[in-house]
Amino acid sequence: MSTLIVYATKYGFTKTCAEILAKKLEENVDIYDLNSNLPDLKKYDKVIIGGSIYAGKIRKPVMRFCTDNLNTLKEKKLGLFICGMAKEEDAQKQLESSFPQDLLAVCAAKGFFGGECNYEKMNFLEKFIMKKITGSKQSQSKVAEDNITRFAGMMR
């Protein structure tokens, strides 16, 4: 079986999570940033789609990829994940609102892989907004390793 992981990230945290997931799947996995040229989806038995959440919304390339390939994706073993700074219970709501209902209904795995708030990578406005939202002036990073492991198990 061949597996494709596609993702969209702003600062790189989602890419890190995609790479951790690829190792945990223990199979042939190709990883692509949705801003690059993608391979033919027909080559893959499994497709995993991930994206980071900002201001409660998933990155636009993820939504575009899902809507452009909706029918093909529904025929695959499908996994969907998000990354963000929300608490676990809020992340579930964000996940449910980030992907088309048609895909959520047929996916084999859904997951929240944690998030990162790295002030060094942000512009002034982003720093201001994140400090208001998180109430912290400290950069934070938390990979939800257990969630990634559980997700990989569901996709195997």
Side-chain angles (χ1 to χ4, degrees):
M1 289 213 147
S2 56
T3 302
L4 173 66
I5 300 175
V6 294
Y7 67 90
T9 188
K10 186 167 185 173
Y11 297 115
F13 185 81
T14 306
K15 177 183 180 187
T16 299
C17 291
E19 291 168 346
I20 293 168
L21 174 61
K23 288 177 186 164
K24 289 183 180 288
L25 288 169
E26 301 170 351
E27 55 192 55
N28 181 28
V29 179
D30 293 332
I31 304 174
Y32 283 86
D33 185 325
L34 284 169
N35 291 316
S36 64
N37 291 330
L38 296 175
D40 183 2
L41 288 178
K42 293 177 183 143
K43 292 181 1 182
Y44 299 94
D45 303 303
K46 301 176 190 175
V47 177
I48 299 169
I49 307 164
S52 52
I53 302 291
Y54 289 92
K57 303 240 184 252
I58 198 158
R59 310 253 335 129
K60 287 181 183 174
V62 174
M63 278 308 280
R64 190 169 35 254
F65 176 79
C66 289
T67 54
D68 290 351
N69 297 288
L70 188 66
N71 291 330
T72 303
L73 292 170
K74 288 194 301 188
E75 297 171 0
K76 307 289 182 184
K77 184 168 187 178
L78 185 65
L80 307 170
F81 74 89
I82 61 168
C83 296
M85 292 302 296
K87 292 180 176 67
E88 191 86 30
E89 58 275 3
D90 294 331
Q92 186 62 36
K93 293 175 193 166
Q94 287 179 341
L95 193 144
E96 296 290 333
S97 67
S98 293
F99 293 98
Q101 290 301 312
D102 288 357
L103 297 183
L104 287 163
V106 299
C107 71
K110 296 184 273 192
F112 170 64
F113 291 177
E116 181 176 67
C117 176
N118 187 337
Y119 289 117
E120 292 176 16
K121 295 180 180 179
M122 295 179 190
N123 65 36
F124 176 78
L125 182 61
E126 292 167 332
K127 288 178 190 176
F128 177 78
I129 292 168
M130 286 306 292
K131 286 175 183 176
K132 288 283 188 194
I133 292 171
T134 64
S136 173
K137 295 179 182 177
Q138 298 289 324
S139 291
Q140 305 168 40
S141 182
K142 178 166 183 349
V143 174
E145 192 91 29
D146 290 346
N147 291 359
I148 298 173
T149 301
R150 191 169 28 259
F151 185 99
M154 288 186 276
M155 288 302 296
R156 267 192 238 109

